[in-house]
Amino acid sequence: MKQMELDAIEDSPLRHKPKKDNALESPESLRSKKISARWDPSEACRPIIDEAPVFHPTIEEFEDTLSYIAKIRPLAEPYGICRIVPPACWVPPCLLKEKDIWENAEFSTRIQQIDLLQNREPMKKKSRGRKRKRRRNSKSGTCRRASKSASEANNASEADEKYGFQAGSDFTFKDFQQYASHFKECYFGLKDANEDGKVNDSNHQNRREPSEEEIEGEYWRIVEQPTDEVEVYYGADLETGVFGSGFSKASSIPKGYPDQYAISGWNLNNFPRLPGSVLSFEGSDISGVLVPWLYVGMCFSSFCWHVEDHHLYSLNYLHFGDSKIWYGVPGSHASALENAMKKHLPDLFEEVPNLLNDLVTQLSPSILKDEGVPVYRTVQNSGEFVITFPRGYHSGFNCGFNCAEAVNVAPVDWLTHGLNAVELYSLQRRKTSLSHDKLLFGSSLEAIRALAELTLHGKESSKNLKWRSYCGKDGVLTMAFKARIKMEEERLNCLPTHFKSLKMGNDFDLHTERECFSCFYDLYLSAVGCECSPDKYSCLTHASSFCMCEMDQRFVLLRYNMNELNKLLEALEGDSLALKLWESKNFGMVSAEANEVCMNKPEVDGDNGHEETGCAGTRDRSNSHATSEPMQCESHLVTLSAPNESIDSDNDNMIVVDKDKVDIADSHNKGDSVEEKACCSKIKKEQDNMEIVKTEVSSCSRNVHNPCTSDSGKYEGQQQMDSDSRKKPKIVVEKVIDTTSASISLTQESFLMQILSTSVKPISLGSVVHGKLWCNKHAIYPKGFKSRVNFFSIIDPTRICSYVSEVINAGLLGPLFKVTMEECPSVTFTETSADKCWESVLKRLHDKITEQRSLGELELPSLELLKSINGFRMFGFPLPSIVQAIEAQDPGHQCAEYWNHKGFPTSPGSVIDNCKVLCCSSSPTKVFGINLTDQAKDNIGGSSSSLEEMKSILQKASPEELSSLRKFLISDAQCSEWRITLTSLIDEIQKAL
């Protein structure tokens, strides 16, 4: 066979590597090693679980890789994994079988003790375990995130030893195949080995190869009920940038290699940066993410339960050899798997809370199934692909000698999953492998370029049309961008107001990606710094714990201000004016074809004032990370546009916060524009010891300006009604922040919950339906009613997000009540009552808080506080402005049950909290010989004298009258005779007053 010219292999230090003098064991000695453990088929523990789906694309479907994956995603994602069998004609040659590589190129291995993957004792010292995917220098790009130091590499090696994986011998493919075959033959009794380890194959003709099911049953017997030590080798995480890929690269096609495979989208060297993958906007080659890794396995070698870095998709191709058995759990049940593993392996997780990041722990699918975790199985054969979906846990093992290759990809729909991943990493203080924000903004700017070409210039192309499909108000890219900038806005609003806002220079992350000193959060979009530490930065969340300097020495660097971000959002939604603005500014237009991200932002030269255009990959900049011009943005006063159907059209007030004083400034907002402050409970402020904020807003829109709160805040508040009935009632909220206190008391936090539950803003009043199912004694429920309220996010409880509550028509069933998380419309809760609806929300929030506390997050809402939330109030039904507006739609009082109880509130949540039972008069009047005194005694919450007078009525009544009164009071409220009697009684009392 002719030798192929492979640049990567020729340059590889592993190609003709001499044998190590300090190798643990040579391949020759391993082949003579006695294999004492034996197959025990009678004790097989094969899990009985359902199969993951298998897809067989046609030749036409197979041509567009990402389109096909998008097509099968709705069918496959609920399983967490799936298998794809390529068309029979697609058989790419494997370069690793070239003789020179097969016999000379060596790879490192790790030793896996299979009997200890599930059943092992915890170590006394914690470990960081897993070899983290990292950037490295390569021919095709420049590394921006530094590789691990030697000490870090040593720590990783020590961690491998501590948690079951020790460094093993180096092998060539030829040697490893021989050892793998020797092990399998001995273990399954295909050949006998004598005491000297020599193989006797006299009975070989009578032995048969075990089936995949038999190997699977034996594997889980070893894991669950080990009787012997079983030790195997695994060549895992081998970097193809160094060792070489099984696929050819399009840039260096070997002689005789078919072009169709070199340029195929299913070639793993091409797959990560296919058009439509947001990894196209990552300029560096990240080993294991953008550069594939190889996996050379033998029987029982394992990959333990884990999710992909940043919850990315992954694609695995089995080049040759025996099959690989996979297990998958859908991403929607990731938390359930984590909880099950913590339940069954409590000691290991107590010692290492983030144990699943280390890839060293198995748990039987049978146990997971018993815990209610959906687990699915698939068997990957040579020449087949397996896809794992975002946050889908997966694990498995090899049935014998084989070689696979894997890499990641990020279609646009991944962006939402990626945002959740970086927030989780921040909570876990875990380093990131890539910049999620850079990918998000690269994708967004490329989409705007495509929209501008389509909308403004009429340039139709398949690429532009594809990007347009991700945009629009409900587009997957638009929703991901909207969620991210809303999070950024909330965090900016929680910074002290006297922080200087500076424009982030293009060189800020040119040579190294910046991350928070505390939680390693990526700082592509914004960063907080201080004059005392020129090369140290924090994320917005940890701004207060940055240093001990005065606040006026600190500053925040912003790549874009909020005005720019909102304009960018409008452009994604398709607004032509915003598209023109962004096209004229040429802000960061990124080419998806390029490996380097070129930021073409106009900048002002500090010396001559002339604009310059810079490219991050080509220009040499000064060391300054911030431009001299301050950001022109109101980072603490945020204007949001309410939907057109909002009933609030009056002037609102907005808060102007200063370090020493607080002013209320009128802003005349036209139409539906309102001013809204995000509430944040994460940021610890280190300004004055005491700060007082008073906010006065219209209660018609319930637009409470929730001030940012610190962990040590104190709150007091009251609701006051304006004496002039023609004016809207006002809410007066007073906040006292005492930063000397270490925590918030339950009473203080309860008031925070009250503020949240009263921040309801009506969106649409709907229309009143006259039927007994559409009202009750507490409220009328108009069809199409819709409101918005701010509350703790069920995805990240440290944030405040918006929920939309609505009443929908269920036909003969009457109204149904629905709550939707506005930033994630797929998250909905539908129930038969408002209370039940919010009970479902609170249950999900309760579970999320519990989960994050188990990960070590401390700054979370108290679970006790959730008990004070009332679903009826969260919809806004008790709010006077909403009550009055809904009542005005029923002037004929046809919603009889509601109006019959109008004067008799029966619960604290009733809409008639302040209504009088009877019409009041200043002079005493007698009815049935008893005085009806002033209005305080007529109120349902009146003085004790009212009760005494009622007792005197009962004492004077005859037994027949008491019996009639009792029947009247306990009769069914739906009975028409009851309503008529009650109405008559009220009329008689009113006539007598």
Side-chain angles (χ1 to χ4, degrees):
M1 183 181 295
K2 293 183 179 181
Q3 180 174 333
M4 298 182 180
E5 298 176 0
L6 300 176
D7 293 340
I9 302 302
E10 288 177 355
D11 295 338
S12 170
L14 303 179
R15 188 175 179 190
H16 297 289
K17 182 190 287 186
K19 303 292 183 184
K20 285 185 178 180
D21 294 335
N22 61 346
L24 298 178
E25 293 178 284
S26 68
E28 292 76 13
S29 64
L30 286 172
R31 282 196 295 275
S32 63
K33 183 179 180 180
K34 182 178 180 180
I35 309 298
S36 59
R38 287 295 182 272
W39 179 25
D40 187 357
S42 63
E43 298 295 327
C45 295
R46 180 173 178 261
I48 307 302
I49 56 178
D50 294 334
E51 295 289 323
V54 182
F55 298 94
H56 296 78
T58 64
I59 296 176
E60 293 75 17
E61 290 175 323
F62 200 68
E63 288 178 354
D64 192 337
T65 309
L66 291 187
S67 292
Y68 184 71
I69 292 174
K71 178 180 178 180
I72 66 174
R73 181 172 68 90
L75 302 174
E77 191 169 20
Y79 295 85
I81 59 171
C82 73
R83 181 159 52 102
I84 296 177
V85 181
C89 62
W90 199 83
V91 187
C94 180
L95 300 182
L96 301 173
K97 289 187 175 181
E98 169 64 28
K99 181 179 179 180
D100 197 40
I101 300 173
W102 188 265
E103 295 183 358
N104 296 302
E106 290 188 343
F107 57 87
S108 59
T109 64
R110 60 186 62 164
I111 301 172
Q112 294 183 326
Q113 294 173 280
I114 307 303
D115 54 298
L116 298 181
L117 294 181
Q118 181 175 310
N119 292 279
R120 69 172 182 270
E121 294 297 323
M123 302 293 180
K124 292 182 179 180
K125 295 182 179 180
K126 293 185 178 180
S127 163
R128 284 177 295 205
R130 182 185 180 188
K131 177 182 177 182
R132 182 175 162 269
K133 294 178 180 178
R134 63 189 186 276
R135 301 173 187 265
R136 59 178 296 113
N137 291 322
S138 66
K139 282 191 170 187
S140 57
T142 303
C143 172
R144 293 183 59 192
R145 190 185 296 273
S147 300
K148 288 184 178 180
S149 64
S151 61
E152 287 176 315
N154 290 336
N155 288 338
S157 176
E158 292 173 6
D160 284 348
E161 295 177 4
K162 291 178 182 178
Y163 286 94
F165 298 163
Q166 300 176 7
S169 300
D170 288 354
F171 289 86
T172 63
F173 278 102
K174 179 180 178 181
D175 291 336
F176 194 78
Q177 182 185 33
Q178 291 175 348
Y179 175 70
S181 298
H182 168 74
F183 172 87
K184 189 172 181 180
E185 289 169 350
C186 292
Y187 190 91
F188 287 96
L190 304 181
K191 293 183 180 181
D192 293 325
N194 57 31
E195 293 182 357
D196 297 327
K198 295 185 177 181
V199 174
N200 177 10
D201 60 353
S202 58
N203 295 325
H204 179 60
Q205 300 296 329
N206 299 326
R207 308 296 173 86
R208 65 176 180 81
E209 187 85 11
S211 67
E212 292 163 350
E213 289 75 14
E214 289 172 325
I215 296 175
E216 184 179 24
E218 177 64 7
Y219 174 82
W220 288 110
R221 182 196 70 79
I222 299 169
V223 172
E224 292 188 76
Q225 303 170 9
T227 55
D228 297 292
E229 293 183 1
V230 179
E231 189 175 272
V232 299
Y233 291 79
Y234 196 16
D237 301 347
L238 305 177
E239 302 178 18
T240 59
V242 175
F243 190 82
S245 168
F247 295 101
S248 172
K249 293 183 179 180
S251 59
S252 56
I253 302 177
K255 185 177 179 180
Y257 193 91
D259 291 349
Q260 68 181 95
Y261 300 117
I263 63 175
S264 171
W266 296 94
N267 180 326
L268 298 194
N269 295 303
N270 305 328
F271 184 66
R273 288 192 171 103
L274 288 174
S277 170
V278 302
L279 292 179
S280 302
F281 303 99
E282 173 53 60
S284 301
D285 286 333
I286 309 173
S287 182
V289 176
L290 284 145
V291 179
W293 274 352
L294 285 174
Y295 299 86
V296 186
M298 62 178 287
C299 189
F300 299 146
S301 60
S302 307
F303 50 105
C304 299
W305 287 112
H306 69 287
V307 295
E308 295 298 306
D309 282 2
H310 288 263
H311 301 170
L312 290 159
Y313 286 75
S314 75
L315 185 67
N316 183 292
Y317 181 73
L318 189 57
H319 283 291
F320 57 80
D322 291 342
S323 58
K324 188 188 295 278
I325 297 181
W326 292 71
Y327 305 96
V329 171
S332 58
H333 289 77
S335 296
L337 177 140
E338 293 163 358
N339 292 335
M341 293 196 72
K342 291 172 184 176
K343 175 181 176 181
H344 288 271
L345 304 171
D347 293 339
L348 295 181
F349 278 91
E350 182 179 357
E351 186 176 63
V352 185
N354 296 325
L355 181 64
L356 285 170
N357 295 340
D358 298 341
L359 267 85
V360 292
T361 307
Q362 285 285 46
L363 187 67
S364 169
S366 300
I367 296 175
L368 293 173
K369 183 180 178 181
D370 291 341
E371 290 292 333
V373 181
V375 189
Y376 302 96
R377 168 188 184 271
T378 196
V379 179
Q380 181 187 21
N381 301 303
S382 177
E384 296 178 350
F385 292 95
V386 166
I387 293 178
T388 70
F389 291 88
R391 213 190 173 189
Y393 272 96
H394 49 281
S395 70
F397 66 95
N398 299 294
C399 293
F401 172 69
N402 60 23
C403 178
E405 190 168 343
V407 78
N408 294 114
V409 75
V412 176
D413 64 82
W414 163 81
L415 286 167
T416 300
H417 300 284
L419 178 58
N420 292 337
V422 294
E423 293 301 311
L424 180 62
Y425 282 17
S426 175
L427 290 176
Q428 296 176 344
R429 303 288 199 271
R430 180 180 174 185
K431 284 181 172 288
T432 60
S433 297
L434 49 80
S435 169
H436 176 271
D437 284 342
K438 182 167 71 173
L439 302 185
L440 173 63
F441 278 79
S443 307
S444 300
L445 293 168
E446 181 67 15
I448 289 174
R449 183 203 58 77
L451 286 175
E453 287 191 356
L454 280 167
T455 306
L456 306 180
H457 309 295
K459 296 181 180 180
E460 285 199 8
S461 67
S462 59
K463 180 180 177 182
N464 288 346
L465 293 172
K466 190 73 172 177
W467 280 109
R468 186 173 69 177
S469 68
Y470 304 135
C471 302
K473 289 187 179 296
D474 298 322
V476 61
L477 176 56
T478 307
M479 298 304 295
F481 186 84
K482 185 177 182 179
R484 178 64 185 94
I485 67 168
K486 185 172 183 180
M487 183 185 300
E488 186 77 358
E489 182 180 59
E490 291 172 351
R491 290 172 179 172
L492 283 172
N493 287 343
C494 292
L495 290 178
T497 55
H498 48 281
F499 267 29
K500 292 175 288 188
S501 294
L502 303 176
K503 185 77 173 177
M504 183 183 288
N506 280 349
D507 64 337
F508 176 67
D509 56 352
L510 179 59
H511 302 292
T512 180
E513 290 196 352
R514 303 285 181 173
E515 57 190 13
C516 174
F517 81 99
S518 176
C519 68
F520 306 111
Y521 196 85
D522 179 69
L523 303 180
Y524 174 83
L525 192 55
S526 58
V528 173
C530 181
E531 297 171 4
C532 72
S533 306
D535 291 318
K536 178 182 175 184
Y537 299 92
S538 81
C539 64
L540 300 181
T541 301
H542 294 103
S544 61
S545 53
F546 185 73
C547 63
M548 300 302 292
C549 298
E550 295 295 327
M551 286 292 176
D552 55 8
Q553 291 184 259
R554 303 186 195 182
F555 55 88
V556 57
L557 299 176
L558 301 176
R559 192 173 294 270
Y560 305 111
N561 63 38
M562 285 309 304
N563 289 333
E564 291 172 331
L565 293 177
N566 285 323
K567 283 299 179 185
L568 205 159
L569 176 59
E570 291 174 11
L572 285 174
E573 292 175 342
D575 182 86
S576 58
L577 293 177
L579 285 171
K580 289 178 181 178
L581 175 65
W582 276 90
E583 185 183 46
S584 65
K585 284 188 174 182
N586 195 24
F587 267 95
M589 291 301 178
V590 185
S591 171
E593 311 335 330
N595 285 338
E596 299 244 359
V597 178
C598 180
M599 304 300 293
N600 296 319
K601 295 184 184 179
E603 298 172 349
V604 178
D605 189 338
D607 295 330
N608 54 30
H610 295 136
E611 289 190 358
E612 297 181 1
T613 300
C615 180
T618 60
R619 294 184 68 249
D620 184 20
R621 293 287 308 259
S622 66
N623 293 327
S624 173
H625 301 318
T627 63
S628 58
E629 57 177 309
M631 294 293 287
Q632 300 299 319
C633 66
E634 298 293 339
S635 61
H636 301 281
L637 294 175
V638 185
T639 301
L640 302 178
S641 294
N644 292 331
E645 61 266 36
S646 172
I647 65 169
D648 180 23
S649 61
D650 295 304
N651 297 336
D652 291 314
N653 297 318
M654 64 182 179
I655 309 173
V656 179
V657 185
D658 189 80
K659 179 178 179 181
D660 302 316
K661 64 181 181 179
V662 177
D663 299 325
I664 304 297
D666 292 330
S667 70
H668 299 279
N669 302 318
K670 296 183 179 180
D672 301 318
S673 179
V674 298
E675 296 294 327
E676 184 171 319
K677 282 282 284 185
C679 179
C680 172
S681 60
K682 285 189 71 173
I683 306 299
K684 296 179 181 178
K685 300 193 178 202
E686 298 179 356
Q687 359 181 161
D688 303 328
N689 285 339
M690 192 69 69
E691 187 175 342
I692 300 178
V693 177
K694 288 187 178 180
T695 308
E696 182 176 281
V697 296
S698 167
S699 68
C700 178
S701 65
R702 310 304 293 175
N703 182 25
V704 177
H705 296 267
N706 296 329
C708 295
T709 65
S710 72
D711 289 340
S712 56
K714 294 181 179 179
Y715 297 84
E716 295 179 3
Q718 67 182 51
Q719 181 170 323
Q720 297 179 347
M721 303 295 291
D722 195 299
S723 58
D724 186 349
S725 62
R726 293 172 296 177
K727 295 181 180 179
K728 295 178 182 177
K730 302 286 182 179
I731 300 268
V732 177
V733 178
E734 182 177 69
K735 180 189 77 166
V736 181
I737 302 177
D738 183 1
T739 56
T740 62
S741 174
S743 63
I744 302 176
S745 72
L746 187 61
T747 303
Q748 294 161 354
E749 284 196 355
S750 294
F751 183 69
L752 172 60
M753 302 296 278
Q754 180 184 342
I755 291 296
L756 291 173
S757 65
T758 56
S759 67
V760 182
K761 182 173 66 177
I763 298 174
S764 174
L765 290 174
S767 57
V768 171
V769 178
H770 300 135
K772 67 177 183 179
L773 296 176
W774 290 88
C775 70
N776 58 23
K777 56 189 176 183
H778 302 305
I780 299 171
Y781 305 113
K783 178 180 67 175
F785 174 86
K786 191 179 291 187
S787 63
R788 181 183 288 108
V789 66
N790 293 332
F791 195 59
F792 297 108
S793 168
I794 60 175
I795 295 176
D796 179 6
T798 62
R799 295 193 302 111
I800 301 297
C801 71
S802 296
Y803 293 84
V804 173
S805 306
E806 56 185 312
V807 180
I808 57 179
N809 188 359
L812 296 176
L813 298 177
L816 287 179
F817 299 81
K818 181 180 178 181
V819 173
T820 303
M821 191 175 180
E822 197 166 25
E823 68 184 38
C824 188
S826 61
V827 179
T828 62
F829 305 85
T830 306
E831 291 289 350
T832 56
S833 73
D835 284 332
K836 288 182 179 179
C837 215
W838 273 94
E839 283 173 9
S840 300
V841 177
L842 295 174
K843 183 180 185 301
R844 179 80 69 87
L845 180 60
H846 180 283
D847 294 342
K848 191 65 178 179
I849 292 173
T850 303
E851 174 190 342
Q852 292 198 1
R853 282 187 176 172
S854 68
L855 298 174
E857 175 61 37
L858 301 177
E859 298 173 337
L860 292 164
S862 168
L863 294 177
E864 283 296 317
L865 298 180
L866 302 186
K867 297 177 182 179
S868 64
I869 290 300
N870 180 297
F872 190 79
R873 291 184 179 275
M874 296 299 276
F875 266 70
F877 291 127
L879 302 182
S881 58
I882 293 179
V883 171
Q884 294 167 14
I886 293 176
E887 287 181 350
Q889 295 188 59
D890 188 25
H893 293 196
Q894 296 188 52
C895 297
E897 183 182 1
Y898 170 76
W899 291 106
N900 288 340
H901 288 80
K902 176 68 174 173
F904 295 92
T906 56
S907 72
S910 172
V911 296
I912 322 295
D913 288 341
N914 295 316
C915 291
K916 308 296 184 290
V917 177
L918 305 171
C919 295
C920 302
S921 172
S922 59
S923 58
T925 307
K926 288 189 176 183
V927 177
F928 307 128
I930 302 297
N931 283 329
L932 296 178
T933 58
D934 61 13
Q935 59 183 13
K937 296 182 180 179
D938 295 334
N939 198 324
I940 194 65
S943 63
S944 59
S945 61
S946 299
L947 181 59
E948 295 300 322
E949 291 180 353
M950 182 58 70
K951 288 180 180 179
S952 65
I953 292 176
L954 300 178
Q955 290 171 356
K956 294 179 180 180
S958 66
E960 292 79 8
E961 290 173 333
L962 289 174
S963 177
S964 298
L965 180 60
R966 180 179 179 277
K967 291 179 181 179
F968 169 70
L969 293 175
I970 67 174
S971 62
D972 187 0
Q974 297 291 340
C975 175
S976 59
E977 182 180 351
W978 187 94
R979 293 198 298 269
I980 293 171
T981 305
L982 175 63
T983 302
S984 300
L985 178 59
I986 292 175
D987 288 342
E988 290 299 322
I989 293 174
Q990 289 176 344
K991 289 177 184 178
L993 291 177

